[in-house]
């Protein structure tokens, strides 16, 4: 009868089935049974001896120790629980753990079985730990102290993380809901909060939420308390919520919405919380600042360091929480024997199928030193006289292992089944040998005494008796030495197949015997695989050929001598040839005589494996169709296959793209450009003639107006006539300015403006322009400021046009500004070597749409300020900047001002 502790609700029959899977009978063997969970696996049952061995108070702590620990052994157990084959053979392995006072190596026998309730169960038992258990149980007890003075252990951060992993799995953000009534009492709280912080820390039902807020804020007037006191909507208020039984807290973001009844009376809060588990922090857990609700339990005990969380269950259930979500933090109290009502008795059962009853491994000598570091997990190797198999079977296993090691492929294979200690279970040897992927035959005096299932299946025999009846080894195998390890094997139907054989001398049943291992020769299988690969490749070749035929460009495959090997359908359509007509012909048959030399040079460069391959940008050539027409073509040559292949087998791919359409488009664009240039020239000539014709009468009008205004030949009789004369003079001057700007813009667009590029000092040009504009700025009460870079290199520019650029920009900065505004002019040399002029004003500014309008000739934006202008200021300025090989940039925002930058590239900047 074996005693164990299990979770409530676990079917004892499932535990009994799991123990039967390992054929455990000895009550002293420590074991555990684990089931899949959201966080990986959780232990649902374990013997008290295993809890003692790993110093665990309950199943939750044992789960964290074996499935979440950092020991190599714990990592191996977690991996086995996931990777072992379902209902496969048991696995025996030595695993390393850190146990007080040092490291220990413990032998684990494990297996994974199917289960109707949980899907699968992982059962494991330790072997040969009697001495270790005795040493742990013989440890001197600690001094007796009163119960109220016994300090309770506080969970560490690692313990908390493992516990949360069991409770909530891999979730990082957990949400919960809460509600209060009109008296601010918490009336509703959803379970996720208790799942994370524990039942005691989440026990705020019936409490005044104002007091809870003060406690979580750690101050009477913290942000949560203030938000709650205002009875207003709040969100994003983050607090640290203590975790029961641990010196840790978890950040929680809280939000709340006040509710009101029909009379608009406050009816409590409806709120939510987000627990940020991924931001778990160390924090001293403190009690609520005051006990407001009389008789109500507090969320955490009143102590600077909290005691371990103790669930409200009977002692029999402390090691078996109801579920991973409802369990409280483990109490980590001194170990106690389980009560009788939580002990399940299992009567001895008759092993089914293949009994696998391990015996405890002999204890190590008492003088053996205890290692200070936990050793790495390693498989247990069979030793003579101490294995689960007999000495003869262990010898056979070693020989088979040698064969498998020599014949194993280089890829990583499934690890071998490790062997362990005990002089029983020889019957399992047949079950293991039957699972090996090669045929095994043990014989003595050329008489077969054992054949595994693999060999019988390969030869088509039902059992060994049928094998002997058919003639045995003498008839089934051709073992005549041939200098090769390949022999012929006859099957029950009379067919034969080739196999690689290996003979070794072993002991079987304490007598000499011969071990024959057979592995089917893979040549036939390899041939079939090669044929299948060939069919696949042929299919892919047909698909690629179909794809090439649907391509719009012509494609020809060429041999190293320049002869055509194949031509796709687009190539046939392009040149008017059928593929059969050009195969074997030189490539030049498709090329016009004027382009043949260019193609030959191109092809020779590709064959030479030189610079031409790196600079392979194609060639424009002229092709010749079968009917005699000429085709403009863009041709690209490339290699087919690796560059280091046999030059005699190297092939090339020629891609022909018909450029007829593009040539037509190019001609149309060329004609359109020439037409535009002609129209521009006509416009410039027209403007020049009109300007000449307009300037003469305008000058006369302006001159006569000035003579009359000055009253050189007598006074003007009426003052109103004097006003009219002023208007005539102003209008004439404006028209003359318009004509001059229009003529300059036309010359720039036509490329006929005469510019004298000389060395210009930017700072001097800026200073002169500012001096000219200063009176206008003073009249408009606009401040002009200078910030010029010292030692700025000179630039190459037209000095007259640069002065006009500066005056236009400064005039706009003053004209479209407000009294008290500023215009800041600066110069600089950027990191990229550009010499820049920047003009920033604090004026009325423009939107993106208005900037586009202002850059168009004869367009002016609508502003609150009436200004006189031609509408050519910014367009002419931009054109002058570009004529000086510089860059013009303008940025503006309504009511915030305008920024203009004129950048001269490094090529226009003179070295000092």
């Amino acid at each position: 009868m074996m005693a164990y502790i299990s979770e409530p609700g676990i079917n004892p029959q499932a535990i009994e089935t799991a123990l039967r899977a390992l054929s455990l009978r000895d009550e002293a063997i420590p074991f555990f049974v684990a089931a899949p969970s959201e966080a990986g696996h959780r232990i649902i049952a374990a013997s008290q001896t295993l809890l003692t061995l790993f110093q665990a108070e309950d199943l939750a702590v044992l789960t964290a120790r074996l499935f979440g620990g950092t020991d190599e052994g714990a990592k191996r157990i977690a991996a086995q629980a996931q990777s072992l084959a379902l209902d496969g053979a048991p696995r025996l392995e030595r695993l390393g753990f850190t146990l007080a006072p040092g490291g220990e190596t413990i032998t684990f026998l494990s297996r994974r079985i199917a289960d109707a309730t949980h899907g699968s169960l992982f059962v494991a038992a330790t072997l040969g730990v009697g001495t270790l258990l005795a040493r742990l149980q013989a440890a001197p007890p600690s001094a007796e102290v009163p119960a109220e003075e016994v300090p309770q252990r506080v969970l560490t951060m690692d313990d908390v993380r493992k516990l949360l992993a069991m409770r909530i799995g891999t979730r990082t953000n957990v949400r919960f809901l809460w509600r209060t009534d009109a008296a601010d009492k918490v009336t509703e709280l959803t379970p996720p909060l208790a799942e994370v912080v524990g039942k005691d820390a989440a026990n705020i039902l019936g409490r005044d939420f104002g007091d809870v807020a003060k406690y979580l804020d750690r101050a009477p007037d913290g942000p949560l308390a203030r938000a709650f006191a205002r009875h207003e909507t709040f969100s994003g208020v983050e607090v640290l919520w203590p975790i029961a039984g641990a010196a840790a807290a978890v950040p929680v973001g809280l939000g709340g919405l006040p509710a009101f009844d029909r009379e608009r009376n406050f009816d409590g809060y409806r709120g939510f919380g987000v627990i940020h588990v991924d931001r778990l922090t160390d924090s001293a857990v403190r009690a609520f600042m005051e006990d407001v609700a009389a008789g109500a339990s507090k969320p955490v005990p009143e102590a600077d360091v909290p005691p371990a969380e103790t669930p409200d269950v009977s002692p029999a259930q402390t090691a078996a929480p109801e579920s991973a979500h409802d369990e409280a933090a483990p109490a980590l109290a001194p170990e106690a024997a389980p009560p009788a009502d939580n002990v399940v008795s299992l009567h001895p059962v008759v092993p089914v199928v293949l009994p696998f009853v391990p015996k405890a491994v002999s204890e190590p000598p008492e003088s053996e030193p205890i290692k200070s570091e936990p050793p790495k997990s390693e498989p247990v190797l069979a030793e003579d006289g101490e294995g689960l198999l007999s000495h003869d079977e262990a010898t056979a296993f070693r020989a088979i292992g040698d064969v498998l090691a020599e014949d194993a492929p280089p890829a990583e294979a499934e690890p071998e089944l490790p062997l362990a200690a005990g002089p029983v279970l020889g019957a399992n040897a047949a079950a293991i040998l039957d699972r090996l992927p090669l045929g095994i035959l043990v014989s003595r005096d050329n008489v077969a005494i054992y054949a595994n299932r693999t060999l019988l299946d390969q030869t088509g025999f039902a059992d060994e008796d049928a094998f002997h009846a058919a003639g045995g080894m003498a008839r089934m195998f051709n073992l005549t030495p041939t200098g090769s390890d390949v022999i012929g094997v006859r099957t029950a139907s009379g067919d034969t197949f080739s196999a690689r054989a290996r003979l070794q001398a072993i002991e079987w049943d304490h007598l000499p015997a011969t071990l024959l291992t057979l592995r089917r020769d893979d040549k036939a299988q390899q041939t079939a695989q090669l044929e299948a690969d060939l069919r696949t490749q042929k299919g892919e070749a047909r698909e690629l050929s179909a794809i090439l035929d649907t391509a719009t460009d012509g494609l020809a495959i060429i041999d190293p001598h320049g002869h055509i090997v194949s031509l796709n359908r687009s190539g046939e359509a392009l040149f008017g040839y059928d593929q059969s007509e050009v195969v074997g012909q030189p490539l030049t048959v498709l090329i016009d005589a004027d382009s043949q030399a260019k193609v030959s040079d191109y092809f020779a460069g590709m064959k030479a494996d030189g610079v031409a391959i790196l600079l392979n940008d194609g060639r424009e050539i002229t092709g010749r169709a079968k009917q005699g027409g000429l085709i403009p073509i863009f041709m690209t040559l490339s290699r087919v296959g690796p560059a280091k292949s046999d030059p005699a087998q190297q092939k090339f791919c020629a891609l022909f793209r018909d450029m007829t359409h593009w040539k037509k488009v190019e001609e149309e664009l060329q004609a359109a450009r020439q037409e535009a240039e002609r129209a521009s020239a006509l416009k410039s000539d027209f403007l020049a003639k009109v300007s000449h014709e307009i300037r003469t009468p305008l000058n006369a009008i302006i001159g006569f107006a000035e003579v009359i205004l000055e009253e050189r030949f007598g006074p003007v009789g009426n003052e109103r006539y004097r006003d009219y004369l002023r208007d005539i003079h102003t209008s004439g001057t404006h028209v003359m300015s318009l004509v001059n700007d229009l003529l300059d813009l036309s010359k720039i667009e036509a490329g006929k403006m005469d510019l004298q590029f000389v060395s210009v000092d930017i700072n001097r040009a800026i200073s002169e322009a500012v001096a000219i504009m200063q009176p206008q700025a003073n009249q408009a009460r606009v401040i002009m400021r200078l910030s010029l870079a010292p030692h700025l290199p000179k630039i190459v520019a037209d000095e007259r046009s640069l002065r006009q650029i500066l005056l236009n920009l400064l005039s706009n900065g003053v004209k479209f500004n407000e009294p008290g505004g500023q215009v800041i002019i600066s110069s600089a040399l950027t990191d990229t070597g550009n010499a820049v002029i920047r003009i920033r004003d604090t004026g009325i500014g423009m939107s993106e749409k208005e900037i586009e309008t202002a850059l168009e000739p004869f367009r002016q934006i609508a502003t609150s300020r009436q200004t006189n202008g031609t509408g050519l200021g910014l367009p002419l300025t931009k054109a002058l900047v570009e004529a000086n090989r510089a860059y013009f940039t303008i940025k503006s925002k309504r009511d915030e001002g305008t920024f203009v930058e004129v950048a001269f590239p490094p090529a226009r900047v003179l070295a000092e």
Side-chain angles (χ1 to χ4, degrees):
M1 182 174 63
M2 301 185 68
Y4 63 89
I5 299 175
S6 68
E7 289 184 354
I10 298 298
N11 186 359
Q13 185 64 34
I15 307 301
E16 182 177 348
T17 302
L19 297 179
R20 187 187 297 117
L22 291 184
S23 298
L24 294 179
R25 295 180 179 177
D26 192 345
E27 296 181 14
I29 295 179
F31 74 94
F32 73 88
V33 180
S37 68
E38 187 175 336
H41 275 77
R42 77 179 193 280
I43 296 177
I44 61 174
S47 63
Q48 185 62 48
T49 52
L50 191 72
L51 293 169
T52 302
L53 179 64
F54 286 94
Q55 301 174 346
E57 289 76 14
D58 55 23
L59 298 182
V61 176
L62 185 62
T63 298
R65 182 76 170 84
L66 294 182
F67 285 91
T70 58
D71 292 337
E72 292 292 330
K75 296 177 181 178
R76 186 63 184 155
I77 284 179
Q80 285 185 359
Q82 298 286 349
S83 61
L84 286 184
L86 198 62
D87 290 330
R91 173 67 59 88
L92 195 62
E93 194 166 346
R94 293 174 66 83
L95 307 176
F97 290 88
T98 301
L99 299 175
E104 296 289 342
T105 300
I106 301 175
T107 302
F108 270 81
L109 177 68
S110 56
R111 189 177 183 188
R112 186 164 167 258
I113 64 172
D115 180 76
T117 303
H118 303 89
S120 66
L121 291 176
F122 178 73
V123 56
T126 62
L127 306 178
V129 294
T131 302
L132 178 59
L133 276 172
R135 187 164 68 247
L136 293 174
Q137 293 172 347
S142 57
E144 294 291 331
V145 294
E148 62 273 9
E149 298 180 6
V150 176
Q152 291 184 316
R153 177 180 170 187
V154 178
L155 294 180
T156 64
M157 288 293 291
D158 287 339
D159 294 333
V160 172
R161 291 189 178 95
K162 295 171 186 176
L163 189 61
L164 291 182
M166 290 187 294
R167 289 176 173 175
I168 63 173
T170 59
R171 290 181 292 171
T172 57
N173 292 330
V174 180
R175 293 181 175 271
F176 66 92
L177 303 177
W178 55 271
R179 176 182 292 188
T180 65
D181 58 13
D184 294 338
K185 303 295 184 183
V186 180
T187 59
E188 183 178 338
L189 185 69
T190 55
L193 178 63
E195 293 175 4
V196 176
V197 303
K199 293 181 179 178
D200 285 354
N203 186 17
I204 61 174
L205 284 175
R207 299 193 60 83
D208 190 316
F209 193 84
D211 295 335
V212 177
K214 295 175 183 178
Y215 161 69
L216 293 176
D217 283 332
R218 300 292 190 271
D221 57 347
L224 181 60
R226 290 197 304 269
F228 189 80
R230 289 195 297 263
H231 283 180
E232 295 176 353
T233 301
F234 64 91
S235 64
V237 178
E238 188 166 297
V239 297
L240 288 177
W241 202 298
I243 298 177
V250 62
V252 177
L254 294 173
L257 179 70
F260 300 90
D261 57 18
R262 294 184 177 180
E263 286 74 24
R264 298 300 297 171
N265 297 319
F266 178 70
D267 193 30
Y269 263 98
R270 311 295 185 265
F272 69 92
V274 180
I275 310 173
H276 302 285
V277 182
D278 54 336
R279 292 160 49 195
L280 191 67
T281 61
D282 293 317
S283 176
V285 179
R286 298 184 179 276
F288 275 107
M289 297 179 65
E290 54 184 334
D291 186 6
V292 178
S297 61
K298 298 182 179 181
V300 294
E302 288 187 341
D304 290 340
V305 178
E309 180 181 339
T310 304
D312 188 16
V313 294
S314 64
Q317 295 173 326
T318 57
E322 293 183 1
S323 67
H325 295 293
D326 295 331
E327 66 186 10
L332 297 182
E335 183 177 9
D341 58 354
N342 200 24
V343 175
V344 180
S345 300
L346 291 182
H347 297 285
V349 295
V350 179
V352 294
V353 190
L354 297 174
F356 201 85
V357 185
K359 186 176 180 180
V361 179
S362 58
E363 300 298 333
E366 294 295 328
S367 60
E368 180 180 355
I370 298 176
K371 299 178 182 179
S372 60
E373 294 294 332
K376 294 183 178 180
S377 303
E378 56 184 8
V380 179
L381 303 178
E383 299 179 358
D384 294 346
E386 294 183 285
L388 285 173
L389 309 176
S390 66
H391 175 273
D392 308 327
E393 294 161 346
T395 304
F397 266 97
R398 286 198 188 92
I400 295 168
D402 294 339
V403 175
L404 290 174
E406 294 177 6
D407 295 342
E412 181 180 358
E414 180 73 17
E416 298 178 18
L417 180 68
L419 311 178
V424 293
L425 290 181
N428 269 340
I432 298 173
L433 293 174
D434 285 343
R435 292 177 177 269
L436 294 179
L438 72 164
I440 298 172
L441 183 73
V442 181
S443 64
R444 186 177 293 120
D445 298 330
N446 290 330
V447 177
I449 57 177
Y450 171 76
N452 75 336
R453 186 70 258 167
T454 304
L455 178 64
L456 295 175
D457 291 341
Q458 289 176 347
T459 54
F461 293 104
D463 49 34
E464 295 177 9
D465 294 337
F467 179 79
H468 288 293
M473 292 182 60
R475 187 172 182 274
M476 295 296 106
F477 305 118
N478 178 17
L479 299 178
T480 304
T482 61
S484 172
D485 59 351
V486 178
I487 65 171
V489 181
R490 180 175 296 175
T491 65
S493 61
D495 299 330
T496 60
F497 64 87
S498 298
R500 296 185 179 274
R502 182 184 178 95
L503 288 172
Q504 290 178 279
I506 64 169
E507 287 187 4
W508 190 270
D509 292 336
H510 303 282
L511 293 175
T514 301
L515 173 67
L516 172 66
T517 57
L518 293 174
R519 187 185 295 275
R520 292 196 62 145
D521 190 9
D522 294 334
K523 288 184 178 179
Q525 184 177 358
Q526 291 175 355
T527 302
Q529 184 63 39
L530 289 175
E531 291 177 352
D533 293 343
L534 181 60
R535 289 193 296 270
T536 301
Q537 292 177 1
K538 286 183 177 179
E540 292 177 353
R542 288 193 296 269
E543 291 177 0
L544 291 175
S545 178
I547 292 173
L548 292 177
D549 284 339
T550 58
T552 57
D553 295 334
L555 186 144
I557 303 298
I558 309 166
D559 64 15
H561 305 291
H563 293 160
I564 298 173
V565 177
S566 65
L567 183 69
N568 72 339
R569 292 180 181 176
S570 296
E572 293 176 340
L574 178 62
F575 295 102
Y577 286 99
D578 187 83
Q579 179 176 243
S580 59
E581 296 178 304
V582 295
V583 170
Q585 297 293 325
L587 179 63
T588 53
V589 73
L590 305 176
I591 310 300
D592 184 61
D594 294 339
S595 300
Q596 289 181 1
K598 183 187 295 186
V599 172
S600 298
D601 293 341
Y602 187 19
F603 184 62
M606 295 300 295
K607 288 176 60 178
D609 196 16
V611 181
I613 294 179
L614 301 177
L615 303 177
N616 184 15
D617 54 354
R619 302 289 188 274
E620 285 193 17
I621 63 171
T622 302
R624 178 173 292 277
K626 181 180 180 181
Q627 296 80 7
L630 300 180
I631 311 168
I633 290 174
F634 186 81
M635 173 184 175
T636 305
L637 270 177
S638 60
R639 291 179 182 271
V640 177
K644 299 300 183 182
S645 61
D646 185 2
Q649 302 297 326
Q650 183 71 63
K651 294 181 180 179
F652 299 85
C653 174
L655 190 67
F656 304 103
R657 175 160 295 180
D658 186 1
M659 302 296 292
T660 303
H661 172 70
W662 304 109
K663 288 293 183 181
K664 183 179 179 181
V665 172
E666 183 180 3
E667 292 174 357
E668 292 176 352
L669 291 175
Q670 181 70 14
R673 185 177 66 84
Q674 293 175 354
E675 180 64 25
E677 290 177 351
R678 189 180 67 84
S680 178
L682 291 175
K683 180 188 70 173
S684 299
D685 293 342
F686 171 76
L687 288 175
K689 293 177 181 179
V690 170
S691 174
H692 177 73
E693 296 298 330
I694 292 178
R695 283 171 185 256
T696 301
L698 274 179
N699 286 330
I701 293 173
I702 294 173
F704 288 146
E706 290 177 351
V707 170
I708 297 174
L709 283 173
E710 293 174 359
E711 298 181 350
R712 293 181 183 179
F713 302 106
V716 178
N718 194 318
E719 186 62 28
R720 181 172 294 181
Y721 290 151
R722 189 182 299 274
D723 293 337
Y724 290 158
L725 287 173
R726 292 193 186 95
D727 292 341
I728 292 171
H729 185 272
T730 302
S731 300
T733 304
H734 178 72
V735 173
M736 183 64 74
S737 174
L738 176 62
V739 170
N740 291 335
D741 289 349
L742 186 60
L743 187 60
D744 289 343
L745 185 61
S746 176
K747 287 181 179 180
I748 294 173
E749 291 178 350
K752 294 182 179 181
M753 187 171 186
D754 295 329
L755 298 177
Q756 299 296 326
F757 291 106
V758 294
S759 175
V760 178
D761 186 345
I762 294 180
N763 289 344
R764 183 176 59 82
I766 293 175
S767 300
E768 292 176 353
V770 170
I772 295 173
M773 289 300 303
Q774 190 64 56
Q776 181 178 340
N778 293 339
Q779 184 178 2
R781 290 181 295 172
V782 174
I783 301 172
M784 301 187 72
R785 298 172 58 188
L786 284 175
S787 177
L788 305 180
H791 311 297
L792 187 66
K794 294 183 178 181
I795 62 171
V796 177
D798 178 67
E799 190 169 7
R800 185 186 66 83
S801 60
L802 178 60
R803 186 180 296 108
Q804 186 174 355
I805 291 169
L806 292 171
L807 291 175
N808 286 352
L809 294 177
L810 292 176
S811 176
N812 285 343
V814 173
K815 186 187 303 182
F816 298 102
N817 216 319
E818 298 292 341
Q822 296 186 33
V823 177
I824 304 171
I825 310 98
S826 63
S827 63
L829 185 66
T830 66
D831 295 337
T832 58
N834 293 335
V836 297
I837 301 171
R838 299 186 177 106
I839 298 176
R840 183 189 303 274
D841 66 65
T842 60
I844 60 176
M846 297 177 287
S847 64
E848 293 290 338
K849 185 68 174 177
E850 290 173 337
I851 292 177
E852 296 178 4
T853 302
L855 289 175
E856 296 179 8
F858 306 107
R859 296 287 301 277
Q860 290 181 313
I861 61 173
T863 64
S864 58
R865 301 189 61 180
Q866 298 297 326
T867 60
N868 295 324
T870 63
L872 291 174
L874 275 181
L876 181 59
T877 302
K878 183 174 181 295
L880 288 173
V881 170
E882 294 172 350
N884 279 273
R885 311 294 190 270
Y887 303 101
F888 180 85
T889 305
I890 181 170
K891 298 178 182 178
S892 184
K893 194 171 183 181
R894 197 69 176 170
D895 299 326
E896 293 187 11
T898 303
F899 171 78
V900 177
E901 181 179 90
V902 178
F904 291 87
R908 312 295 290 179
V909 179
L910 298 176
E912 296 182 0

